[in-house]
Amino acid sequence: MMPPEEESPDGDRDGGLVLLHGPKSGSARKGCDPFAQTQRSKLQHRRARINQQINKEMRMRAGAENLFRATSNHKVKETVALELSYVNSNLQLLKEELEELNSSMDVYQNDSESISVPMIPLGLKETKELDLLVPLKDFISEHYGEEGVLFEKEIKEFMELRQAMRTPSRNEAGLELLMEYYNQLYFLDSRFFPPTKTLGVFFHWYDSLTGVPSHQRALAFEKGSVLFNLGALHTQIGARQDRASLPGLNQAIDAFQKAAGAFNYLKENFSNAPSLDMSAASLTMLVRLMVAQVQECVFEKMTLLRAQNDFLARLQLAQEAARVEDVYSLVHQTMNQPHVKDYVPFSWTTMVQVKSEHFKALSHYFAAIALCDCPAPSDAELLEQEKAFLQFHVTMPEGPSLRVLLQDPEERRKLGKAHLKKAIMKHEEAMRIHGLCKILRKMDILQEVLSFAHKRSLSKYSEIDHEEDFFETGEAPDIHPKTHQKPEIKSPNFSQVKVTDLFHRLGPLSVFSAKNKWYPARRVHLMRGENGFGFTLRGDSPVLIAGVIPGGCAAEAGLKEGDYIISVNGKDCKWSKHAEVVQLLKSTGKEGVDIGVITLQGSECSKAVDRKAAVTSSGSGMPKSNKENSRKSLMNSKSASTLLVWSKKSKRSKKSTYSGVPFTAVGDNEAMY
């Protein structure tokens, strides 16, 4: 998401992202009722409880290890060693319990009576409550010179949004809630996280699969965790769709593609994450898993759309099944890599391997019924079938020429029988692997799918097997994988969610941000002279004093080039347009006018450069840094590893924020008063 440009309190659009800066009401989006007793909420509550227990045991282990290293007393060492073994045993049991929870795929599946192979969803990362009231109030008082207590409502509103984000509903509203919170983090970062100082708060998150806690001061860790949950929620939405219908399949495909996009976005923008679930290796595995599940849905979509009695359609189904087997084989290889193998639940690895074998069996089954159930081609159909069959196998089958094979029913039966034999072997292998996993054995629907496919292949084999067959059934060549709908990795589209800058009262971000510093606000009483006030104004929100006439009323009152007007006669003008400030100045009488101004620190040294730029190109934009988390020195963290942050391309601001234009060089967008 590109950071927004601010224009006015009424809002603006930046690249399609609707950003509201005015005094609108807060977010109307709410999370799920944390006390609702749904199956999914019970599962998440159990996950939260186990996470807390793991956290407690890990603190005990850390304390015991420190004592073991520090003491030289032999008896104490023995006692501590015994305590360590007890703690490690507890940790192992808790992690096994959490793994079983992460393997509870049936909770996230749909309630339809149709039989579908279960999909693998992810549970959400849990986080601790965060109290930002005191840190943000202190920062507002110290940095912005405002009364922190006046912003309690906005701070509480942000904290309520964060609390709601912890329990998003499993639908579009839940996704929008996560997106809204993520977009709000941009404003929080710009307002309260200076490059050289920490806010003094830690963001605590638990690993999605192991429950191991991590914490950092860097806001990037909070952003990354929210993005992870966005991807996880997409997996849950995809898993719950009724894939027996075309609309359900399309929604599942879209959800898994968006999940892949969220994890891929996270992988490309983070490195050295403090928790394993956000490591590059884990995210690569998750992206590949989501792509494989998309490919599986594409196969299911093909079975609904294609005519089952057509020779070419069955060849295409066989190739689609081979493609699904191919991508699941890649996922299985990724899950067996050193940094991932001990981390991923065994039930996931087994499920992926079962699916790989299952879809390989299906590819051979559809090849067999294409050969055995479809009639020999007519002369008109022969050329097209030859062309399709030429690219069907990885290696050409042994025996007669392709034309003879397609036209001779007996040759078709022999090759079909070879494919069925291989299909039955692969079905049996899938069932064997399935039986090795205790968690998968409890999954009745998976057992039903595997058993049905196996029996169907056996029945077909019995049907085409003749008693007088004395030839040895040959080895069927593998089928060339091919898909007619390549999965698309869809990156998160945050621009669809309207965002209100909760802290808009602090002023426009172009000036009033954490990275800028300014001298204390000054109140200047100004009288109108014969030649006006004696200064040049430029820009909007806030209006800039671009030039001051030497010896004029403004100069005598103490106004300087580069001052920003923040109030006129007590009226806040941080968000005021140029014309509005001018109207306020013109409406003053003989008693004069009180003007509140601020001066950015370090602005004097850049006046010469700004003056030259303004004279050569009046009103040209200054570069505006838009790096989301450009920390030159990363926030201190107690985590073992450091979460690096990402940056976005810089963007030119439409508004000039500072210039030292002298009063003698008045540009087109400036006016002298």
Side-chain angles (χ1 to χ4, degrees):
M1 181 190 73
M2 292 300 292
E5 288 183 14
E6 300 183 321
E7 291 192 0
S8 72
D10 300 319
D12 64 83
R13 288 179 178 269
D14 177 54
L17 174 59
V18 180
L19 295 144
L20 304 176
H21 310 291
K24 309 272 181 166
S25 60
S27 171
R29 300 185 180 94
K30 302 296 179 187
C32 291
D33 178 5
F35 300 106
Q37 293 299 299
T38 63
Q39 275 190 303
R40 177 173 165 264
S41 66
K42 287 178 182 176
L43 198 67
Q44 204 66 29
H45 287 157
R46 283 181 64 196
R47 182 178 280 112
R49 178 182 58 78
I50 294 170
N51 284 338
Q52 290 169 2
Q53 288 177 314
I54 288 174
N55 190 18
K56 179 183 174 183
E57 294 292 339
M58 288 192 71
R59 287 203 306 269
M60 288 177 62
R61 186 172 72 176
E65 286 173 345
N66 288 337
L67 180 58
F68 188 84
R69 285 192 293 266
T71 186
S72 56
N73 187 303
H74 186 67
K75 262 191 176 178
V76 171
K77 273 186 177 289
E78 282 185 355
T79 306
V80 172
L82 186 64
E83 181 66 24
L84 270 173
S85 66
Y86 174 73
V87 169
N88 285 331
S89 176
N90 281 350
L91 269 173
Q92 185 60 35
L93 290 172
L94 286 168
K95 286 182 178 180
E96 286 176 7
E97 189 178 350
L98 188 61
E99 181 182 341
E100 189 170 348
L101 281 187
N102 289 322
S103 304
S104 300
M105 306 169 203
D106 52 327
V107 173
Y108 299 100
Q109 310 302 318
N110 70 83
D111 297 326
S112 169
E113 293 182 1
S114 61
I115 299 173
S116 300
V117 181
M119 293 293 186
I120 298 177
L122 272 79
L124 301 181
K125 286 173 71 73
E126 290 284 338
T127 180
K128 288 185 178 179
E129 288 189 17
L130 185 64
D131 189 354
L132 290 169
L133 190 61
V134 174
L136 293 190
K137 279 167 61 178
D138 289 347
F139 190 86
I140 289 170
S141 301
E142 178 189 333
H143 186 79
Y144 291 96
E146 304 268 5
E147 288 291 334
V149 70
L150 299 177
F151 289 84
E152 279 190 1
K153 181 186 174 186
E154 287 90 338
I155 297 170
K156 287 178 179 176
E157 208 169 300
F158 178 84
M159 289 167 59
E160 285 171 4
L161 179 62
R162 188 181 191 274
Q163 184 66 20
M165 171 277 306
R166 296 175 66 188
T167 55
S169 54
R170 196 164 39 137
N171 51 27
E172 193 65 30
L175 295 170
E176 288 180 359
L177 178 61
L178 289 171
M179 289 181 183
E180 180 181 357
Y181 180 69
Y182 179 85
N183 287 345
Q184 277 295 345
L185 290 176
Y186 162 73
F187 289 112
L188 192 77
D189 188 24
S190 301
R191 298 278 190 196
F192 300 106
F193 285 80
T196 57
K197 183 182 176 182
T198 67
L199 195 60
V201 295
F202 282 98
F203 299 99
H204 293 259
W205 287 86
Y206 294 94
D207 190 288
S208 174
L209 296 181
T210 64
V212 175
S214 300
H215 58 268
Q216 280 197 345
R217 288 192 179 102
L219 194 65
F221 184 39
E222 179 89 345
K223 284 187 175 185
S225 298
V226 174
L227 282 172
F228 185 94
N229 274 0
L230 185 69
L233 193 58
H234 275 302
T235 68
Q236 295 181 15
I237 291 171
R240 76 178 301 189
Q241 301 304 320
D242 179 8
R243 305 200 315 275
S245 67
L246 197 57
L249 274 170
N250 286 331
Q251 287 171 356
I253 289 171
D254 184 61
F256 289 127
Q257 287 182 152
K258 286 178 178 176
F263 296 134
N264 193 57
Y265 185 89
L266 199 51
K267 178 171 72 81
E268 289 179 348
N269 292 290
F270 280 84
S271 59
N272 299 325
S275 58
L276 281 172
D277 54 359
M278 294 200 297
S279 67
S282 296
L283 291 170
T284 298
M285 179 271 294
L286 289 174
V287 171
R288 289 177 178 175
L289 175 60
M290 295 307 119
V291 168
Q293 296 192 145
V294 171
Q295 200 71 66
E296 183 177 348
C297 291
V298 170
F299 168 78
E300 292 173 336
K301 186 177 176 181
M302 287 277 292
T303 60
L304 287 180
L305 293 175
R306 302 286 179 178
Q308 295 293 311
N309 57 350
D310 179 68
F311 178 77
L312 294 178
R314 285 172 171 174
L315 291 188
Q316 287 174 351
L317 277 176
Q319 289 187 301
E320 284 286 354
R323 177 61 185 159
V324 179
E325 181 267 329
D326 199 41
V327 290
Y328 271 121
S329 291
L330 179 61
V331 176
H332 187 249
Q333 289 173 21
T334 311
M335 286 181 170
N336 278 312
Q337 288 178 351
H339 296 294
V340 183
K341 186 176 181 180
D342 297 330
Y343 171 70
V344 176
F346 177 65
S347 59
W348 285 21
T349 310
T350 309
M351 170 73 92
V352 165
Q353 194 177 2
V354 165
K355 286 192 175 189
S356 177
E357 298 293 340
H358 173 67
F359 281 99
K360 186 155 192 174
L362 288 184
S363 70
H364 286 284
Y365 170 78
F366 282 110
I369 62 169
L371 289 164
C372 299
D373 288 4
C374 295
S378 63
D379 292 340
E381 297 171 329
L382 184 59
L383 189 62
E384 188 180 6
Q385 289 194 10
E386 265 190 301
K387 185 179 177 183
F389 213 71
L390 198 60
Q391 301 172 350
F392 182 68
H393 291 104
V394 175
T395 56
M396 286 302 294
E398 296 177 1
S401 67
L402 192 56
R403 178 160 294 209
V404 172
L405 172 63
L406 290 172
Q407 290 181 316
D408 186 346
E410 182 60 21
E411 290 297 332
R412 288 168 70 110
R413 185 180 72 85
K414 285 181 180 178
L415 183 57
K417 190 175 177 182
H419 276 296
L420 275 175
K421 180 183 176 184
K422 200 160 190 177
I424 292 166
M425 288 171 61
K426 290 298 175 183
H427 281 310
E428 289 171 351
E429 180 64 10
M431 294 171 75
R432 184 191 69 81
I433 296 167
H434 168 264
L436 297 176
C437 180
K438 180 180 70 174
I439 293 170
L440 292 190
R441 285 201 302 270
K442 296 177 183 177
M443 205 173 290
D444 294 337
I445 191 166
L446 181 59
Q447 177 70 44
E448 199 172 340
V449 169
L450 296 177
S451 178
F452 170 79
H454 181 231
K455 287 175 181 175
R456 184 177 61 177
S457 293
L458 281 173
S459 174
K460 192 66 188 174
Y461 188 86
S462 300
E463 183 186 319
I464 66 167
D465 186 31
H466 296 165
E467 287 184 7
E468 61 272 15
D469 283 348
F470 295 109
F471 60 86
E472 186 177 343
T473 306
E475 180 75 14
D478 284 334
I479 294 156
H480 183 70
K482 186 179 178 182
T483 182
H484 291 76
Q485 184 179 335
K486 190 176 179 182
E488 179 187 352
I489 295 176
K490 294 184 177 180
S491 294
N493 179 20
F494 296 97
S495 63
Q496 67 192 40
V497 180
K498 293 182 179 181
V499 180
T500 301
D501 179 7
L502 296 176
F503 299 94
H504 69 276
R505 288 197 293 128
L506 290 172
L509 273 174
S510 57
V511 175
F512 301 96
S513 65
K515 68 180 179 182
N516 289 333
K517 291 184 179 180
W518 48 88
Y519 297 105
R522 313 191 311 278
R523 189 173 298 278
V524 176
H525 186 75
L526 198 59
M527 302 293 292
R528 188 194 298 272
E530 293 180 6
N531 297 320
F533 291 113
F535 54 56
T536 301
L537 300 182
R538 190 177 76 185
D540 296 324
S541 307
V543 174
L544 175 75
I545 298 177
V548 178
I549 300 175
C553 298
E556 289 179 1
L559 292 177
K560 299 179 292 184
E561 293 178 22
D563 283 348
Y564 287 100
I565 296 177
I566 59 171
S567 68
V568 175
N569 282 337
K571 176 179 170 55
D572 193 304
C573 294
K574 292 191 189 90
W575 282 104
S576 296
K577 298 285 188 183
H578 187 106
E580 293 169 353
V581 172
V582 170
Q583 188 59 41
L584 287 171
L585 292 172
K586 284 183 176 179
S587 64
T588 58
K590 294 181 180 179
E591 69 278 3
V593 60
D594 287 326
I595 301 178
V597 295
I598 61 163
T599 306
L600 289 182
Q601 291 186 21
S603 60
E604 293 85 349
C605 61
S606 61
K607 281 186 180 179
V609 177
D610 291 332
R611 183 181 296 115
K612 182 179 178 182
V615 171
T616 55
S617 175
S618 177
S620 63
M622 292 293 292
K624 177 182 176 184
S625 175
N626 278 334
K627 294 188 176 182
E628 286 197 37
N629 293 287
S630 52
R631 302 284 174 271
K632 289 184 179 177
S633 57
L634 294 174
M635 309 306 180
N636 294 329
S637 173
K638 293 182 181 178
S639 298
S641 57
T642 305
L643 175 63
L644 298 185
V645 294
W646 71 87
S647 60
K648 299 294 179 187
K649 293 180 181 177
S650 293
K651 193 177 193 177
R652 297 253 173 201
S653 171
K654 296 176 184 176
K655 298 293 174 185
S656 179
T657 56
Y658 172 78
S659 178
V661 181
F663 72 95
T664 53
V666 180
D668 294 336
N669 62 343
E670 300 171 5
M672 187 180 293
Y673 302 99

Short mmCIF file of all heavy atoms in Angstrom, two decimals, residues 406-424:
data_model
loop_
_atom_site.label_atom_id
_atom_site.label_comp_id
_atom_site.label_asym_id
_atom_site.label_seq_id
_atom_site.Cartn_x
_atom_site.Cartn_y
_atom_site.Cartn_z
N LEU A 406 -5.09 -45.55 -31.30
CA LEU A 406 -6.35 -44.84 -31.12
C LEU A 406 -7.52 -45.52 -31.84
O LEU A 406 -8.66 -45.43 -31.39
CB LEU A 406 -6.22 -43.39 -31.62
CG LEU A 406 -5.33 -42.46 -30.76
CD1 LEU A 406 -5.13 -41.12 -31.44
CD2 LEU A 406 -5.95 -42.25 -29.38
N GLN A 407 -7.22 -46.23 -32.95
CA GLN A 407 -8.30 -46.83 -33.74
C GLN A 407 -8.60 -48.27 -33.36
O GLN A 407 -9.69 -48.78 -33.66
CB GLN A 407 -7.95 -46.74 -35.24
CG GLN A 407 -8.01 -45.32 -35.78
CD GLN A 407 -7.69 -45.26 -37.26
OE1 GLN A 407 -6.74 -45.90 -37.73
NE2 GLN A 407 -8.47 -44.49 -38.01
N ASP A 408 -7.67 -48.92 -32.67
CA ASP A 408 -7.85 -50.34 -32.31
C ASP A 408 -8.39 -50.45 -30.88
O ASP A 408 -7.68 -50.14 -29.92
CB ASP A 408 -6.51 -51.06 -32.43
CG ASP A 408 -6.66 -52.57 -32.22
OD1 ASP A 408 -7.72 -53.01 -31.74
OD2 ASP A 408 -5.70 -53.30 -32.51
N PRO A 409 -9.64 -50.89 -30.69
CA PRO A 409 -10.24 -51.00 -29.35
C PRO A 409 -9.43 -51.87 -28.40
O PRO A 409 -9.35 -51.59 -27.20
CB PRO A 409 -11.62 -51.61 -29.61
CG PRO A 409 -11.92 -51.27 -31.04
CD PRO A 409 -10.60 -51.28 -31.74
N GLU A 410 -8.83 -52.96 -28.93
CA GLU A 410 -8.06 -53.86 -28.07
C GLU A 410 -6.80 -53.17 -27.55
O GLU A 410 -6.44 -53.33 -26.37
CB GLU A 410 -7.71 -55.13 -28.84
CG GLU A 410 -6.95 -56.18 -28.03
CD GLU A 410 -7.72 -56.67 -26.81
OE1 GLU A 410 -8.96 -56.54 -26.75
OE2 GLU A 410 -7.06 -57.18 -25.88
N GLU A 411 -6.11 -52.42 -28.42
CA GLU A 411 -4.91 -51.70 -27.99
C GLU A 411 -5.27 -50.62 -26.97
O GLU A 411 -4.53 -50.37 -26.01
CB GLU A 411 -4.20 -51.06 -29.20
CG GLU A 411 -3.54 -52.06 -30.14
CD GLU A 411 -2.42 -52.84 -29.45
OE1 GLU A 411 -1.80 -52.32 -28.51
OE2 GLU A 411 -2.17 -54.00 -29.86
N ARG A 412 -6.40 -49.97 -27.17
CA ARG A 412 -6.86 -48.96 -26.22
C ARG A 412 -7.15 -49.60 -24.86
O ARG A 412 -6.82 -49.05 -23.80
CB ARG A 412 -8.14 -48.28 -26.74
CG ARG A 412 -7.90 -47.34 -27.92
CD ARG A 412 -9.22 -46.95 -28.58
NE ARG A 412 -10.00 -46.07 -27.73
CZ ARG A 412 -10.22 -44.78 -27.99
NH1 ARG A 412 -9.69 -44.23 -29.07
NH2 ARG A 412 -10.96 -44.05 -27.18
N ARG A 413 -7.75 -50.81 -24.89
CA ARG A 413 -8.06 -51.52 -23.64
C ARG A 413 -6.78 -51.89 -22.90
O ARG A 413 -6.71 -51.75 -21.66
CB ARG A 413 -8.90 -52.76 -23.93
CG ARG A 413 -9.37 -53.50 -22.67
CD ARG A 413 -10.20 -54.72 -23.04
NE ARG A 413 -9.38 -55.78 -23.58
CZ ARG A 413 -8.72 -56.69 -22.86
NH1 ARG A 413 -8.79 -56.65 -21.54
NH2 ARG A 413 -8.01 -57.63 -23.45
N LYS A 414 -5.78 -52.37 -23.63
CA LYS A 414 -4.50 -52.76 -22.99
C LYS A 414 -3.84 -51.58 -22.29
O LYS A 414 -3.39 -51.68 -21.15
CB LYS A 414 -3.55 -53.33 -24.05
CG LYS A 414 -3.89 -54.73 -24.52
CD LYS A 414 -2.85 -55.20 -25.54
CE LYS A 414 -3.15 -56.61 -26.04
NZ LYS A 414 -2.16 -57.04 -27.06
N LEU A 415 -3.77 -50.43 -23.00
CA LEU A 415 -3.14 -49.25 -22.39
C LEU A 415 -4.00 -48.73 -21.23
O LEU A 415 -3.47 -48.32 -20.19
CB LEU A 415 -2.95 -48.15 -23.44
CG LEU A 415 -2.23 -46.88 -22.96
CD1 LEU A 415 -0.86 -47.19 -22.37
CD2 LEU A 415 -2.09 -45.86 -24.10
N GLY A 416 -5.33 -48.78 -21.40
CA GLY A 416 -6.23 -48.36 -20.33
C GLY A 416 -6.06 -49.22 -19.09
O GLY A 416 -6.08 -48.71 -17.95
N LYS A 417 -5.87 -50.53 -19.30
CA LYS A 417 -5.67 -51.45 -18.19
C LYS A 417 -4.37 -51.13 -17.44
O LYS A 417 -4.31 -51.19 -16.21
CB LYS A 417 -5.64 -52.88 -18.72
CG LYS A 417 -5.69 -53.96 -17.64
CD LYS A 417 -5.77 -55.34 -18.27
CE LYS A 417 -5.76 -56.42 -17.20
NZ LYS A 417 -5.78 -57.78 -17.78
N ALA A 418 -3.34 -50.77 -18.22
CA ALA A 418 -2.05 -50.39 -17.60
C ALA A 418 -2.22 -49.13 -16.74
O ALA A 418 -1.67 -49.03 -15.62
CB ALA A 418 -1.00 -50.16 -18.68
N HIS A 419 -2.99 -48.17 -17.25
CA HIS A 419 -3.23 -46.93 -16.48
C HIS A 419 -4.03 -47.24 -15.22
O HIS A 419 -3.74 -46.68 -14.14
CB HIS A 419 -3.98 -45.91 -17.35
CG HIS A 419 -3.08 -45.10 -18.23
ND1 HIS A 419 -2.14 -44.24 -17.73
CD2 HIS A 419 -2.99 -45.01 -19.60
CE1 HIS A 419 -1.50 -43.64 -18.73
NE2 HIS A 419 -2.00 -44.11 -19.88
N LEU A 420 -5.02 -48.13 -15.32
CA LEU A 420 -5.82 -48.48 -14.15
C LEU A 420 -5.00 -49.20 -13.09
O LEU A 420 -5.17 -48.99 -11.88
CB LEU A 420 -7.01 -49.35 -14.56
CG LEU A 420 -8.25 -48.59 -15.03
CD1 LEU A 420 -9.30 -49.57 -15.53
CD2 LEU A 420 -8.83 -47.74 -13.91
N LYS A 421 -4.11 -50.06 -13.56
CA LYS A 421 -3.23 -50.78 -12.62
C LYS A 421 -2.40 -49.78 -11.81
O LYS A 421 -2.26 -49.90 -10.58
CB LYS A 421 -2.31 -51.73 -13.40
CG LYS A 421 -1.36 -52.53 -12.52
CD LYS A 421 -0.44 -53.39 -13.36
CE LYS A 421 0.58 -54.12 -12.50
NZ LYS A 421 1.54 -54.90 -13.33
N LYS A 422 -1.88 -48.77 -12.51
CA LYS A 422 -1.08 -47.75 -11.82
C LYS A 422 -1.96 -46.90 -10.91
O LYS A 422 -1.54 -46.52 -9.81
CB LYS A 422 -0.38 -46.86 -12.85
CG LYS A 422 0.82 -46.11 -12.28
CD LYS A 422 1.75 -45.65 -13.39
CE LYS A 422 3.06 -45.13 -12.82
NZ LYS A 422 4.00 -44.75 -13.89
N ALA A 423 -3.19 -46.64 -11.36
CA ALA A 423 -4.11 -45.85 -10.53
C ALA A 423 -4.40 -46.58 -9.22
O ALA A 423 -4.39 -45.97 -8.14
CB ALA A 423 -5.40 -45.60 -11.30
N ILE A 424 -4.65 -47.88 -9.31
CA ILE A 424 -4.96 -48.68 -8.10
C ILE A 424 -3.76 -48.69 -7.15
O ILE A 424 -3.92 -48.55 -5.93
CB ILE A 424 -5.38 -50.11 -8.50
CG1 ILE A 424 -6.73 -50.07 -9.23
CG2 ILE A 424 -5.45 -51.02 -7.28
CD1 ILE A 424 -7.08 -51.36 -9.95
#
